[in-house]
Amino acid sequence: MNELDKLEPKEVFRFFREIAAIPRGSRNTKQVSDYLADFARQRGLEYYQDELNNVIIRKPASAGYEDAEPVVIQGHMDMVCEKTPDCPIDMEHEGLSLAVDGDWLYAEGTTLGGDDGIAVAMGLAALDSGSIEHPPLELLCTVDEEIGMEGAQGLDVSHLKGRRLINIDSEDEGILTVSCAGGVSACVMLPAATGMTEGVQCEITVDGLAGGHSGSEIDKEHASANILMGRLLEWIRREADYALVSIAGGTKDNAICKRCQASIIADPADIPAIQRAAASLEDILKRELKTPDPGVRITVIPGESCSASALTKPSLDRVITWLRLTPTGIQHMSMDIPGLVETSLNLGALQVSGDGMKAVYAVRSSVSTRREELCSRLECLAEHLGGSVKYSGVYPAWEYRSSSPLRDAALEAYREQYSAEMSVEAIHAGLECGLFAGKMGPDFDAVSFGPTMTGVHTSDEKLSISSTARVWEYLQRLLAKCR
């Protein structure tokens, strides 16, 4: 028996291991969706699988709960696929390599997918159990949450009988989330022109940053490699001329970019000046970011002399101007809830080539007009530079309910198990609860919680094993209270 087989609770980690063996990045969910449908068929459970790959599985109530209102256990089956530069795993076609370090479960070289595979695993364990007391259950597993909650957006909620929903997509044990921000993905496009240039091609990299989730960790003030690259390119240009071939940083709008790489062409005589400029900015950044990103690093690697297509000077000017002037990070803090970020945006994915610049942002706010105003600022800057902005994946905020029987039951269950009070919070990150609230009407009642995770949306993602065990016990206790 290996370390993974020993993990407790066995019934939860068994399903988590099975899910982790299935490639399930956003828009690559057919295989894991079919796995869930097979689970239902093998156990004779009623299920619904839609054309988007969302799955609903139903289980009748346990004895004594037949007259209770149904409860929905909900999480998303897709995951953010990030990996270290040297990781050989093809996340489009291969499963994860799980490992244990003390109390932490992680995946070697990649994201773990605890966000939100642990919700799916707990839901399956609840359906598979013959001993848990519970009302009629519906396990709702959505797709493509990480790219704009597209599964929840497209779900026909008439297939759901329950109006009480337990979302297991939070990452701090002991916190009950009861409200969240709304958001949208904004894609900025700037045109570019190119011409041939000659010189030494250099690869410039900004990395060593902490990264993190652009909602739940935006308040940590972790630097974005994409934004720092804009600062670096301007900084170098003060010392030497160069032509920009390309920039590539990040792949997901909702992950704070940890690594950005640019390719430039420069005169061989200017290479030392470029290296000195990069080193001087690195020294500055290490002082500025000594708390949130002490590992920040800038490298300049000269290559061979070559002739290549690169952006013209006016196009380079537009790219640098955008990266230096774009709004980024926290824009407003809540004046009603101390410590809560109200409005923010994150430049999570940046691509620059001969085709132009593509910058993809996650824009969030718990105040819809503030979100609209922030989008308007992006539009104004883009228009000034000859570009445009397109939007996708709009999702509404989940508003706080003054009366919530499910919240009351959740707090009571926590009090009984932990002999302590559970913290009730609103979060800046988006949750699918907002979409369900908008679709399911005034009777909708929801809470969100989950086991402790760190490094979500990065290759450093870890899931606490002991926290998972406690939250699994807590979920069972809460279900028993839902008569």
Side-chain angles (χ1 to χ4, degrees):
M1 180 180 290
N2 63 37
E3 265 190 313
L4 296 174
D5 294 330
K6 299 175 184 177
L7 295 181
E8 295 285 354
K10 284 187 172 62
E11 59 269 41
V12 173
F13 283 113
R14 166 197 164 195
F15 290 115
F16 188 85
R17 292 199 307 274
E18 291 182 5
I19 294 165
I22 303 171
R24 54 186 179 89
S26 302
R27 296 212 173 98
N28 185 29
T29 55
K30 176 61 175 170
Q31 189 177 347
V32 67
S33 177
D34 288 344
Y35 162 88
L36 295 171
D38 288 340
F39 169 95
R41 283 193 295 267
Q42 291 168 10
R43 291 158 178 79
L45 298 176
E46 181 184 353
Y47 76 96
Y48 166 74
Q49 183 181 28
D50 69 14
E51 60 185 12
L52 297 176
N53 293 327
N54 295 310
V55 174
I56 300 170
I57 306 174
R58 300 186 184 89
K59 181 181 181 180
S62 62
Y65 287 76
E66 293 85 355
D67 296 331
E69 291 294 317
V71 168
V72 181
I73 299 174
Q74 190 269 323
H76 59 89
M77 65 184 86
D78 66 311
M79 63 177 282
V80 169
C81 291
E82 291 286 339
K83 63 180 186 176
T84 57
D86 59 346
C87 178
I89 293 176
D90 178 358
M91 299 187 76
E92 183 75 14
H93 301 99
E94 297 178 80
L96 308 178
S97 178
L98 301 184
V100 175
D101 180 12
D103 185 47
W104 298 101
L105 178 67
Y106 67 99
E108 296 177 334
T110 70
T111 37
L112 173 66
D115 176 16
D116 193 22
I118 197 61
V120 179
M122 286 190 180
L124 293 175
L127 296 180
D128 200 48
S129 173
S131 60
I132 296 175
E133 294 181 318
H134 61 81
L137 290 182
E138 294 177 298
L139 174 61
L140 168 58
C141 299
T142 52
V143 299
D144 300 343
E145 188 269 354
E146 300 290 6
I147 54 173
M149 306 189 186
E150 293 182 3
Q153 298 238 23
L155 179 72
D156 180 354
V157 297
S158 67
H159 292 279
L160 286 170
K161 298 178 182 179
R163 291 298 180 268
R164 296 184 295 177
L165 185 141
I166 298 172
N167 170 278
I168 309 176
D169 194 12
S170 295
E171 292 135 21
D172 290 294
E173 181 187 1
I175 294 176
L176 189 71
T177 303
V178 295
S179 177
C180 72
V184 65
S185 179
C187 180
V188 178
M189 302 291 294
L190 293 184
T194 60
M196 296 302 295
T197 189
E198 295 183 352
V200 174
Q201 188 157 353
C202 293
E203 299 301 322
I204 302 177
T205 304
V206 177
D207 64 359
L209 302 172
H213 189 291
S214 69
S216 60
E217 295 185 283
I218 199 73
D219 62 323
K220 306 294 191 302
E221 297 279 0
H222 291 310
S224 163
N226 289 331
I227 298 299
L228 293 185
M229 180 60 77
R231 183 174 174 181
L232 175 60
L233 292 176
E234 182 190 32
W235 187 267
I236 291 174
R237 197 164 59 165
R238 299 175 185 175
E239 305 299 326
D241 290 329
Y242 62 85
L244 178 66
V245 177
S246 64
I247 303 177
T251 58
K252 303 292 189 300
D253 66 344
N254 58 4
I256 300 170
C257 182
K258 297 173 60 176
R259 185 176 192 270
C260 184
Q261 187 170 45
S263 179
I264 66 171
I265 301 284
D267 188 293
D270 288 331
I271 299 301
I274 290 171
Q275 292 175 318
R276 286 194 300 271
S280 67
L281 182 60
E282 181 185 79
D283 289 341
I284 291 170
L285 293 177
K286 283 186 177 297
R287 291 194 297 272
E288 292 181 354
L289 303 173
K290 63 182 179 180
T291 299
D293 291 283
V296 63
R297 178 176 57 237
I298 297 175
T299 56
V300 178
I301 302 177
E304 301 295 325
S305 295
C306 66
S307 176
S309 176
L311 270 64
T312 62
K313 186 179 183 302
S315 295
L316 173 60
D317 290 343
R318 279 195 293 270
V319 169
I320 290 179
T321 298
W322 181 271
L323 294 176
R324 297 299 283 136
L325 296 184
T326 178
T328 184
I330 297 171
Q331 302 296 300
H332 297 283
M333 298 296 292
S334 172
M335 295 294 100
D336 300 314
I337 303 175
L340 176 67
V341 178
E342 179 207 88
T343 306
S344 77
L345 78 168
N346 173 65
L347 202 181
L350 175 67
Q351 294 288 329
V352 178
S353 67
D355 295 328
M357 184 195 81
K358 179 180 179 181
V360 186
Y361 293 78
V363 184
R364 305 175 191 268
S365 183
S366 53
V367 179
S368 60
T369 52
R370 280 267 169 85
R371 186 188 72 218
E372 293 163 4
E373 165 61 15
L374 193 48
C375 289
S376 178
R377 289 175 62 191
L378 293 176
E379 292 167 17
C380 286
L381 183 55
E383 183 178 352
H384 179 74
L385 295 173
S388 61
V389 186
K390 292 185 178 180
Y391 301 101
S392 62
V394 181
Y395 57 93
W398 169 28
E399 295 185 6
Y400 177 81
R401 282 174 60 109
S402 58
S403 175
S404 168
L406 184 57
R407 181 175 69 232
D408 294 342
L411 294 175
E412 184 180 353
Y414 189 89
R415 200 175 294 122
E416 290 178 359
Q417 178 174 330
Y418 292 85
S419 299
E421 294 298 321
M422 197 174 197
S423 177
V424 178
E425 296 186 5
I427 61 168
H428 185 57
L431 288 172
E432 292 164 297
C433 298
L435 280 167
F436 298 135
K439 288 185 173 190
M440 297 169 71
D443 293 336
F444 178 76
D445 190 9
V447 295
S448 178
F449 57 83
T452 297
M453 284 182 264
T454 64
V456 170
H457 292 186
T458 78
S459 55
D460 297 323
E461 181 182 2
K462 295 179 180 178
L463 169 68
S464 168
I465 297 165
S466 61
S467 179
T468 299
R470 290 188 296 270
V471 172
W472 169 237
E473 180 185 346
Y474 172 69
L475 174 62
Q476 296 175 71
R477 190 181 294 268
L478 175 55
L479 291 175
K481 288 188 171 297
C482 293
R483 285 188 179 274

